[in-house]
PDB file of all heavy atoms in Angstrom:
ATOM      1  N   GLU A 371     136.737  44.025 108.120  1.00 93.00           N
ATOM      2  CA  GLU A 371     135.756  43.592 107.131  1.00 93.00           C
ATOM      3  C   GLU A 371     134.645  42.811 107.808  1.00 93.00           C
ATOM      4  O   GLU A 371     134.869  42.096 108.787  1.00 93.00           O
ATOM      5  CB  GLU A 371     136.412  42.746 106.047  1.00 93.00           C
ATOM      6  CG  GLU A 371     137.059  41.471 106.551  1.00 93.00           C
ATOM      7  CD  GLU A 371     137.611  40.615 105.425  1.00 93.00           C
ATOM      8  OE1 GLU A 371     136.906  40.478 104.408  1.00 93.00           O
ATOM      9  OE2 GLU A 371     138.730  40.090 105.578  1.00 93.00           O
ATOM     10  N   ILE A 372     133.428  42.975 107.312  1.00 93.00           N
ATOM     11  CA  ILE A 372     132.281  42.215 107.804  1.00 93.00           C
ATOM     12  C   ILE A 372     132.346  40.807 107.226  1.00 93.00           C
ATOM     13  O   ILE A 372     132.557  40.633 106.028  1.00 93.00           O
ATOM     14  CB  ILE A 372     130.963  42.895 107.411  1.00 93.00           C
ATOM     15  CG1 ILE A 372     130.881  44.274 108.084  1.00 93.00           C
ATOM     16  CG2 ILE A 372     129.764  42.032 107.815  1.00 93.00           C
ATOM     17  CD1 ILE A 372     129.675  45.087 107.655  1.00 93.00           C
ATOM     18  N   ILE A 373     132.180  39.783 108.080  1.00 95.00           N
ATOM     19  CA  ILE A 373     132.417  38.409 107.636  1.00 95.00           C
ATOM     20  C   ILE A 373     131.158  37.543 107.621  1.00 95.00           C
ATOM     21  O   ILE A 373     131.219  36.395 107.189  1.00 95.00           O
ATOM     22  CB  ILE A 373     133.494  37.728 108.512  1.00 95.00           C
ATOM     23  CG1 ILE A 373     133.060  37.702 109.983  1.00 95.00           C
ATOM     24  CG2 ILE A 373     134.830  38.421 108.335  1.00 95.00           C
ATOM     25  CD1 ILE A 373     134.004  36.917 110.877  1.00 95.00           C
ATOM     26  N   ASP A 374     129.996  38.061 108.104  1.00 95.00           N
ATOM     27  CA  ASP A 374     128.777  37.249 108.039  1.00 95.00           C
ATOM     28  C   ASP A 374     127.549  38.145 108.037  1.00 95.00           C
ATOM     29  O   ASP A 374     127.641  39.376 108.135  1.00 95.00           O
ATOM     30  CB  ASP A 374     128.722  36.232 109.187  1.00 95.00           C
ATOM     31  CG  ASP A 374     128.712  36.882 110.561  1.00 95.00           C
ATOM     32  OD1 ASP A 374     128.353  38.081 110.661  1.00 95.00           O
ATOM     33  OD2 ASP A 374     129.044  36.207 111.543  1.00 95.00           O
ATOM     34  N   ASN A 375     126.390  37.525 107.925  1.00 94.00           N
ATOM     35  CA  ASN A 375     125.137  38.281 107.835  1.00 94.00           C
ATOM     36  C   ASN A 375     124.742  38.942 109.147  1.00 94.00           C
ATOM     37  O   ASN A 375     123.839  39.782 109.173  1.00 94.00           O
ATOM     38  CB  ASN A 375     124.001  37.364 107.370  1.00 94.00           C
ATOM     39  CG  ASN A 375     124.186  36.911 105.936  1.00 94.00           C
ATOM     40  OD1 ASN A 375     124.789  37.617 105.127  1.00 94.00           O
ATOM     41  ND2 ASN A 375     123.678  35.728 105.610  1.00 94.00           N
ATOM     42  N   GLU A 376     125.384  38.538 110.247  1.00 91.00           N
ATOM     43  CA  GLU A 376     125.099  39.153 111.543  1.00 91.00           C
ATOM     44  C   GLU A 376     125.893  40.444 111.746  1.00 91.00           C
ATOM     45  O   GLU A 376     125.701  41.136 112.725  1.00 91.00           O
ATOM     46  CB  GLU A 376     125.429  38.170 112.673  1.00 91.00           C
ATOM     47  CG  GLU A 376     124.624  36.886 112.648  1.00 91.00           C
ATOM     48  CD  GLU A 376     123.140  37.128 112.845  1.00 91.00           C
ATOM     49  OE1 GLU A 376     122.784  38.105 113.544  1.00 91.00           O
ATOM     50  OE2 GLU A 376     122.339  36.358 112.279  1.00 91.00           O
ATOM     51  N   GLY A 377     126.804  40.732 110.832  1.00 89.00           N
ATOM     52  CA  GLY A 377     127.592  41.955 110.945  1.00 89.00           C
ATOM     53  C   GLY A 377     128.869  41.796 111.749  1.00 89.00           C
ATOM     54  O   GLY A 377     129.525  42.785 112.093  1.00 89.00           O
ATOM     55  N   ARG A 378     129.229  40.546 112.096  1.00 92.00           N
ATOM     56  CA  ARG A 378     130.485  40.335 112.825  1.00 92.00           C
ATOM     57  C   ARG A 378     131.660  40.758 111.951  1.00 92.00           C
ATOM     58  O   ARG A 378     131.626  40.589 110.729  1.00 92.00           O
ATOM     59  CB  ARG A 378     130.620  38.877 113.238  1.00 92.00           C
ATOM     60  CG  ARG A 378     129.549  38.408 114.205  1.00 92.00           C
ATOM     61  CD  ARG A 378     129.769  36.961 114.614  1.00 92.00           C
ATOM     62  NE  ARG A 378     128.733  36.486 115.501  1.00 92.00           N
ATOM     63  CZ  ARG A 378     127.627  35.863 115.109  1.00 92.00           C
ATOM     64  NH1 ARG A 378     127.433  35.640 113.816  1.00 92.00           N
ATOM     65  NH2 ARG A 378     126.727  35.460 115.969  1.00 92.00           N
ATOM     66  N   MET A 379     132.691  41.261 112.620  1.00 91.00           N
ATOM     67  CA  MET A 379     133.795  41.838 111.876  1.00 91.00           C
ATOM     68  C   MET A 379     135.115  41.133 112.145  1.00 91.00           C
ATOM     69  O   MET A 379     135.366  40.683 113.270  1.00 91.00           O
ATOM     70  CB  MET A 379     133.942  43.326 112.208  1.00 91.00           C
ATOM     71  CG  MET A 379     132.725  44.156 111.870  1.00 91.00           C
ATOM     72  SD  MET A 379     133.030  45.914 112.025  1.00 91.00           S
ATOM     73  CE  MET A 379     134.060  46.189 110.577  1.00 91.00           C
ATOM     74  N   LYS A 380     135.937  41.031 111.131  1.00 94.00           N
ATOM     75  CA  LYS A 380     137.304  40.567 111.267  1.00 94.00           C
ATOM     76  C   LYS A 380     138.194  41.799 111.352  1.00 94.00           C
ATOM     77  O   LYS A 380     138.111  42.691 110.512  1.00 94.00           O
ATOM     78  CB  LYS A 380     137.701  39.713 110.070  1.00 94.00           C
ATOM     79  CG  LYS A 380     139.137  39.201 110.124  1.00 94.00           C
ATOM     80  CD  LYS A 380     139.464  38.360 108.891  1.00 94.00           C
ATOM     81  CE  LYS A 380     140.898  37.866 108.942  1.00 94.00           C
ATOM     82  NZ  LYS A 380     141.242  37.054 107.740  1.00 94.00           N
ATOM     83  N   VAL A 381     139.034  41.835 112.382  1.00 95.00           N
ATOM     84  CA  VAL A 381     139.914  42.986 112.608  1.00 95.00           C
ATOM     85  C   VAL A 381     141.357  42.532 112.434  1.00 95.00           C
ATOM     86  O   VAL A 381     141.808  41.606 113.108  1.00 95.00           O
ATOM     87  CB  VAL A 381     139.704  43.573 114.026  1.00 95.00           C
ATOM     88  CG1 VAL A 381     140.573  44.812 114.218  1.00 95.00           C
ATOM     89  CG2 VAL A 381     138.237  43.925 114.250  1.00 95.00           C
ATOM     90  N   GLY A 382     142.072  43.172 111.532  1.00 95.00           N
ATOM     91  CA  GLY A 382     143.442  42.771 111.226  1.00 95.00           C
ATOM     92  C   GLY A 382     144.454  43.340 112.201  1.00 95.00           C
ATOM     93  O   GLY A 382     145.053  44.388 111.959  1.00 95.00           O
TER      94      GLY A 382
END
Side-chain angles (χ1 to χ4, degrees):
E371 61 176 317
I372 297 174
I373 59 174
D374 61 21
N375 292 331
E376 299 297 330
R378 297 182 182 93
M379 299 189 73
K380 179 180 179 181
V381 183

